[in-house]
PDB file of all heavy atoms in Angstrom:
ATOM      1  N   PRO B  87     -23.881  46.073 -13.318  1.00 70.00           N
ATOM      2  CA  PRO B  87     -22.955  47.217 -13.323  1.00 70.00           C
ATOM      3  C   PRO B  87     -21.590  46.790 -12.802  1.00 70.00           C
ATOM      4  O   PRO B  87     -21.496  46.060 -11.820  1.00 70.00           O
ATOM      5  CB  PRO B  87     -23.594  48.209 -12.338  1.00 70.00           C
ATOM      6  CG  PRO B  87     -24.987  47.756 -12.142  1.00 70.00           C
ATOM      7  CD  PRO B  87     -25.053  46.298 -12.472  1.00 70.00           C
ATOM      8  N   LYS B  88     -20.547  47.256 -13.452  1.00 74.00           N
ATOM      9  CA  LYS B  88     -19.197  46.909 -13.050  1.00 74.00           C
ATOM     10  C   LYS B  88     -18.937  47.351 -11.615  1.00 74.00           C
ATOM     11  O   LYS B  88     -18.134  46.775 -10.906  1.00 74.00           O
ATOM     12  CB  LYS B  88     -18.199  47.611 -13.972  1.00 74.00           C
ATOM     13  CG  LYS B  88     -16.818  47.047 -13.814  1.00 74.00           C
ATOM     14  CD  LYS B  88     -15.790  47.788 -14.618  1.00 74.00           C
ATOM     15  CE  LYS B  88     -14.444  47.112 -14.421  1.00 74.00           C
ATOM     16  NZ  LYS B  88     -13.379  47.785 -15.167  1.00 74.00           N
ATOM     17  N   ARG B  89     -19.673  48.382 -11.204  1.00 82.00           N
ATOM     18  CA  ARG B  89     -19.478  48.907  -9.870  1.00 82.00           C
ATOM     19  C   ARG B  89     -19.740  47.881  -8.776  1.00 82.00           C
ATOM     20  O   ARG B  89     -19.159  47.962  -7.703  1.00 82.00           O
ATOM     21  CB  ARG B  89     -20.427  50.087  -9.666  1.00 82.00           C
ATOM     22  CG  ARG B  89     -19.654  51.313  -9.273  1.00 82.00           C
ATOM     23  CD  ARG B  89     -20.384  52.570  -9.586  1.00 82.00           C
ATOM     24  NE  ARG B  89     -19.549  53.419 -10.409  1.00 82.00           N
ATOM     25  CZ  ARG B  89     -19.869  54.643 -10.751  1.00 82.00           C
ATOM     26  NH1 ARG B  89     -21.019  55.153 -10.373  1.00 82.00           N
ATOM     27  NH2 ARG B  89     -19.063  55.354 -11.483  1.00 82.00           N
ATOM     28  N   PHE B  90     -20.635  46.938  -9.026  1.00 84.00           N
ATOM     29  CA  PHE B  90     -20.922  45.898  -8.016  1.00 84.00           C
ATOM     30  C   PHE B  90     -19.629  45.227  -7.569  1.00 84.00           C
ATOM     31  O   PHE B  90     -19.401  45.020  -6.389  1.00 84.00           O
ATOM     32  CB  PHE B  90     -21.844  44.835  -8.597  1.00 84.00           C
ATOM     33  CG  PHE B  90     -23.298  45.147  -8.420  1.00 84.00           C
ATOM     34  CD1 PHE B  90     -23.764  46.454  -8.503  1.00 84.00           C
ATOM     35  CD2 PHE B  90     -24.226  44.136  -8.171  1.00 84.00           C
ATOM     36  CE1 PHE B  90     -25.107  46.751  -8.338  1.00 84.00           C
ATOM     37  CE2 PHE B  90     -25.562  44.420  -8.006  1.00 84.00           C
ATOM     38  CZ  PHE B  90     -26.014  45.727  -8.089  1.00 84.00           C
ATOM     39  N   LEU B  91     -18.800  44.880  -8.528  1.00 85.00           N
ATOM     40  CA  LEU B  91     -17.555  44.192  -8.193  1.00 85.00           C
ATOM     41  C   LEU B  91     -16.666  45.116  -7.375  1.00 85.00           C
ATOM     42  O   LEU B  91     -16.091  44.719  -6.358  1.00 85.00           O
ATOM     43  CB  LEU B  91     -16.839  43.771  -9.485  1.00 85.00           C
ATOM     44  CG  LEU B  91     -15.823  42.637  -9.370  1.00 85.00           C
ATOM     45  CD1 LEU B  91     -15.544  42.044 -10.742  1.00 85.00           C
ATOM     46  CD2 LEU B  91     -14.523  43.084  -8.745  1.00 85.00           C
ATOM     47  N   LEU B  92     -16.567  46.364  -7.786  1.00 89.00           N
ATOM     48  CA  LEU B  92     -15.715  47.313  -7.071  1.00 89.00           C
ATOM     49  C   LEU B  92     -16.198  47.546  -5.643  1.00 89.00           C
ATOM     50  O   LEU B  92     -15.407  47.641  -4.709  1.00 89.00           O
ATOM     51  CB  LEU B  92     -15.680  48.660  -7.821  1.00 89.00           C
ATOM     52  CG  LEU B  92     -14.814  48.692  -9.078  1.00 89.00           C
ATOM     53  CD1 LEU B  92     -14.947  50.034  -9.782  1.00 89.00           C
ATOM     54  CD2 LEU B  92     -13.356  48.417  -8.722  1.00 89.00           C
ATOM     55  N   ILE B  93     -17.532  47.634  -5.481  1.00 91.00           N
ATOM     56  CA  ILE B  93     -18.073  47.903  -4.145  1.00 91.00           C
ATOM     57  C   ILE B  93     -17.895  46.678  -3.240  1.00 91.00           C
ATOM     58  O   ILE B  93     -17.510  46.799  -2.075  1.00 91.00           O
ATOM     59  CB  ILE B  93     -19.551  48.329  -4.241  1.00 91.00           C
ATOM     60  CG1 ILE B  93     -19.631  49.697  -4.929  1.00 91.00           C
ATOM     61  CG2 ILE B  93     -20.195  48.372  -2.862  1.00 91.00           C
ATOM     62  CD1 ILE B  93     -21.032  50.118  -5.294  1.00 91.00           C
ATOM     63  N   ALA B  94     -18.172  45.491  -3.783  1.00 91.00           N
ATOM     64  CA  ALA B  94     -17.970  44.278  -2.983  1.00 91.00           C
ATOM     65  C   ALA B  94     -16.505  44.172  -2.568  1.00 91.00           C
ATOM     66  O   ALA B  94     -16.179  43.858  -1.409  1.00 91.00           O
ATOM     67  CB  ALA B  94     -18.378  43.035  -3.784  1.00 91.00           C
ATOM     68  N   ASP B  95     -15.625  44.469  -3.500  1.00 92.00           N
ATOM     69  CA  ASP B  95     -14.200  44.409  -3.198  1.00 92.00           C
ATOM     70  C   ASP B  95     -13.811  45.430  -2.126  1.00 92.00           C
ATOM     71  O   ASP B  95     -13.012  45.139  -1.231  1.00 92.00           O
ATOM     72  CB  ASP B  95     -13.399  44.664  -4.485  1.00 92.00           C
ATOM     73  CG  ASP B  95     -11.913  44.486  -4.271  1.00 92.00           C
ATOM     74  OD1 ASP B  95     -11.438  43.351  -4.388  1.00 92.00           O
ATOM     75  OD2 ASP B  95     -11.242  45.475  -3.949  1.00 92.00           O
ATOM     76  N   ALA B  96     -14.404  46.634  -2.198  1.00 94.00           N
ATOM     77  CA  ALA B  96     -14.082  47.681  -1.220  1.00 94.00           C
ATOM     78  C   ALA B  96     -14.546  47.264   0.176  1.00 94.00           C
ATOM     79  O   ALA B  96     -13.840  47.478   1.172  1.00 94.00           O
ATOM     80  CB  ALA B  96     -14.756  48.989  -1.628  1.00 94.00           C
ATOM     81  N   LEU B  97     -15.723  46.664   0.244  1.00 95.00           N
ATOM     82  CA  LEU B  97     -16.241  46.188   1.533  1.00 95.00           C
ATOM     83  C   LEU B  97     -15.312  45.129   2.123  1.00 95.00           C
ATOM     84  O   LEU B  97     -14.936  45.187   3.300  1.00 95.00           O
ATOM     85  CB  LEU B  97     -17.628  45.559   1.334  1.00 95.00           C
ATOM     86  CG  LEU B  97     -18.819  46.403   1.726  1.00 95.00           C
ATOM     87  CD1 LEU B  97     -20.089  45.767   1.184  1.00 95.00           C
ATOM     88  CD2 LEU B  97     -18.893  46.519   3.246  1.00 95.00           C
ATOM     89  N   GLY B  98     -14.929  44.161   1.285  1.00 95.00           N
ATOM     90  CA  GLY B  98     -14.034  43.106   1.759  1.00 95.00           C
ATOM     91  C   GLY B  98     -12.700  43.677   2.205  1.00 95.00           C
ATOM     92  O   GLY B  98     -12.170  43.307   3.261  1.00 95.00           O
ATOM     93  N   LEU B  99     -12.197  44.612   1.413  1.00 96.00           N
ATOM     94  CA  LEU B  99     -10.917  45.248   1.732  1.00 96.00           C
ATOM     95  C   LEU B  99     -10.960  45.903   3.106  1.00 96.00           C
ATOM     96  O   LEU B  99     -10.086  45.669   3.960  1.00 96.00           O
ATOM     97  CB  LEU B  99     -10.612  46.304   0.662  1.00 96.00           C
ATOM     98  CG  LEU B  99      -9.362  47.150   0.866  1.00 96.00           C
ATOM     99  CD1 LEU B  99      -8.120  46.329   0.569  1.00 96.00           C
ATOM    100  CD2 LEU B  99      -9.381  48.382  -0.028  1.00 96.00           C
ATOM    101  N   ALA B 100     -11.986  46.724   3.344  1.00 96.00           N
ATOM    102  CA  ALA B 100     -12.081  47.462   4.610  1.00 96.00           C
ATOM    103  C   ALA B 100     -12.248  46.491   5.784  1.00 96.00           C
ATOM    104  O   ALA B 100     -11.577  46.617   6.816  1.00 96.00           O
ATOM    105  CB  ALA B 100     -13.258  48.437   4.545  1.00 96.00           C
ATOM    106  N   LEU B 101     -13.126  45.514   5.619  1.00 97.00           N
ATOM    107  CA  LEU B 101     -13.383  44.558   6.709  1.00 97.00           C
ATOM    108  C   LEU B 101     -12.127  43.773   7.052  1.00 97.00           C
ATOM    109  O   LEU B 101     -11.720  43.679   8.213  1.00 97.00           O
ATOM    110  CB  LEU B 101     -14.491  43.584   6.297  1.00 97.00           C
ATOM    111  CG  LEU B 101     -15.922  44.131   6.337  1.00 97.00           C
ATOM    112  CD1 LEU B 101     -16.841  43.279   5.475  1.00 97.00           C
ATOM    113  CD2 LEU B 101     -16.424  44.140   7.787  1.00 97.00           C
ATOM    114  N   PHE B 102     -11.495  43.169   6.031  1.00 97.00           N
ATOM    115  CA  PHE B 102     -10.379  42.267   6.302  1.00 97.00           C
ATOM    116  C   PHE B 102      -9.117  43.005   6.730  1.00 97.00           C
ATOM    117  O   PHE B 102      -8.319  42.469   7.499  1.00 97.00           O
ATOM    118  CB  PHE B 102     -10.114  41.379   5.092  1.00 97.00           C
ATOM    119  CG  PHE B 102     -11.060  40.221   4.993  1.00 97.00           C
ATOM    120  CD1 PHE B 102     -11.032  39.365   3.890  1.00 97.00           C
ATOM    121  CD2 PHE B 102     -11.978  39.946   5.996  1.00 97.00           C
ATOM    122  CE1 PHE B 102     -11.891  38.282   3.797  1.00 97.00           C
ATOM    123  CE2 PHE B 102     -12.850  38.870   5.908  1.00 97.00           C
ATOM    124  CZ  PHE B 102     -12.802  38.039   4.800  1.00 97.00           C
ATOM    125  N   ALA B 103      -8.926  44.236   6.245  1.00 97.00           N
ATOM    126  CA  ALA B 103      -7.732  44.979   6.665  1.00 97.00           C
ATOM    127  C   ALA B 103      -7.792  45.222   8.175  1.00 97.00           C
ATOM    128  O   ALA B 103      -6.799  45.047   8.885  1.00 97.00           O
ATOM    129  CB  ALA B 103      -7.635  46.296   5.903  1.00 97.00           C
ATOM    130  N   VAL B 104      -8.986  45.610   8.653  1.00 97.00           N
ATOM    131  CA  VAL B 104      -9.118  45.884  10.088  1.00 97.00           C
ATOM    132  C   VAL B 104      -9.149  44.583  10.899  1.00 97.00           C
ATOM    133  O   VAL B 104      -8.454  44.446  11.910  1.00 97.00           O
ATOM    134  CB  VAL B 104     -10.370  46.734  10.363  1.00 97.00           C
ATOM    135  CG1 VAL B 104     -10.590  46.895  11.856  1.00 97.00           C
ATOM    136  CG2 VAL B 104     -10.227  48.095   9.692  1.00 97.00           C
ATOM    137  N   LEU B 105      -9.930  43.605  10.434  1.00 97.00           N
ATOM    138  CA  LEU B 105     -10.024  42.340  11.180  1.00 97.00           C
ATOM    139  C   LEU B 105      -8.680  41.612  11.201  1.00 97.00           C
ATOM    140  O   LEU B 105      -8.330  40.963  12.194  1.00 97.00           O
ATOM    141  CB  LEU B 105     -11.104  41.440  10.567  1.00 97.00           C
ATOM    142  CG  LEU B 105     -12.540  41.968  10.698  1.00 97.00           C
ATOM    143  CD1 LEU B 105     -13.494  41.121   9.861  1.00 97.00           C
ATOM    144  CD2 LEU B 105     -12.980  41.965  12.166  1.00 97.00           C
TER     145      LEU B 105
END
Side-chain angles (χ1 to χ4, degrees):
Chain B
K88 193 185 182 181
R89 236 157 235 186
F90 271 36
L91 201 162
L92 284 176
I93 292 170
D95 185 87
L97 258 167
L99 176 74
L101 284 160
F102 280 175
V104 174
L105 294 171

